[in-house]
Amino acid sequence: MRLHSLVLVSLIALLAACQAPSDQISFSLENQEFVMMGPLFSGANMAQIEVAPEVQSFLETKGYQTLTGARLTAVSLHIADTLTFDLCEEMSLQAVGDATEMQQIAVLNPVPQGQTDVSLQPAAEAELLPYFQEGTFFLVLDANLAGDLATDLAIGADLTFELSASK
Amino acid sequence: MRTLRILFGLLFMLAFAPSLTAQNDGDRLIGVWEPSHGKARVKIDKIGNKYYGRIVWLKEPNDPETGKPKLDKNNPDESLRSTPLRGYRILKDFVYSDEGQWTEGTIYDPENGSTYSCIIKMKDDNTLDIRGYIGVQTFGRTDVWKRLALKPRS
């Protein structure tokens, strides 16, 4: 039994040693825009965008070949000057792909009042590698609205990811 | 030439009509539904080709302990426990598979923070059997959900 454990531990150590070390690289998706189509009613509303980040070519320009992991590290949202985020009580962000299940990746509750720029709290444990491997995926912004709005609600977004990549 | 165009048009319609019908059949799930306990209402929408359900109404929206809106305090990821339950997406990733069934999805139970495999069967336009299970369908529980705005019977 002890010998088995020893062999198993050795094999794991060997595999770990063979694996190329990963580095962390920052990657941004900027100037995205979520539009909730009006008229909007109080309560749960959502907007979705389809993204196709060019991660592979980005990594190659940095001298990396393989993406081994991806985490969301920052989400900043901004709204038109004429509006503030006062109408939004809480917001959360999800990722979903055709072949990858939906996962919550960030939240902000409560939304600070009187602001035109806010930051969401990224999920600590959300692994986004499968979405990047799919190439194209959706980002879904959910917001609970405190009241009705006769027009569209457009929210700009900048997202920052920490990619793990090996050479 | 004109006859040929009409013929091609008909062939196109014949080829794609079944998938269009399946899509429309799948969309019958879209709407607001109430579980049997009556404590919540769930709105089902479509994102891409899959169906998702969010809590849009809670009978008791506030946590009796804090007096504030209920949060997803049992989320396995601690960093997400400030997410409010109102607006929470508890049904995820359902694909219409045919004959009034939506499969491959999950249902989240905020009471214990667990996610279960789930299958939805439409008994009639206004009634769903929602079965959450672990592993195989035998080990699960079925709840009956009613459509909130009842459609007239056809």
Side-chain angles (χ1 to χ4, degrees), chain B residues 3-15:
Chain B
T3 320
L4 209 60
R5 268 190 204 154
I6 293 169
L7 193 64
F8 271 120
L10 283 171
L11 280 172
F12 180 85
M13 280 170 69
L14 281 173

Side-chain angles (χ1 to χ4, degrees), chain B residues 84-102:
Chain B
L85 282 189
R86 190 181 64 129
Y88 201 93
R89 200 167 266 115
I90 60 166
L91 298 176
K92 287 183 181 176
D93 301 305
F94 285 86
V95 176
Y96 185 63
S97 63
D98 216 350
E99 294 173 356
Q101 285 196 33
W102 292 259

Side-chain angles (χ1 to χ4, degrees), chain A residues 43-46 48 89-90 94 96-104 106-107 109 121-126 138 140 142-145, chain B residues 43 45-50 52 54-56 69 71-72 75-84 86-89 92-93 104 106:
Chain A
N45 287 275
M46 62 164 250
Q48 54 180 300
E89 294 180 317
E90 313 97 6
Q94 343 282 325
V96 61
D98 281 342
T100 312
E101 292 176 355
M102 181 180 275
Q103 187 176 191
Q104 186 179 356
V107 66
N109 180 27
Q121 164 74 44
E125 296 172 16
F138 292 95
V140 180
D142 292 327
N144 279 328
L145 300 186
Chain B
K43 185 179 182 186
D45 281 317
K46 194 177 185 181
I47 299 173
N49 290 319
K50 296 191 264 187
Y52 298 84
R54 303 176 72 190
I55 297 172
V56 290
L71 304 178
D72 183 26
N75 194 312
D77 185 338
E78 277 186 41
S79 65
L80 298 175
R81 288 183 182 168
S82 63
T83 307
R86 190 181 64 129
Y88 201 93
R89 200 167 266 115
K92 287 183 181 176
D93 301 305
E104 299 176 36
T106 58

Side-chain angles (χ1 to χ4, degrees), chain B residues 120-137:
Chain B
I120 300 175
K121 291 181 187 174
M122 186 170 271
K123 286 168 77 177
D124 60 54
D125 274 355
N126 301 312
T127 314
L128 297 177
D129 273 350
I130 305 254
R131 182 163 186 80
Y133 61 95
I134 299 170
V136 288
Q137 284 186 46

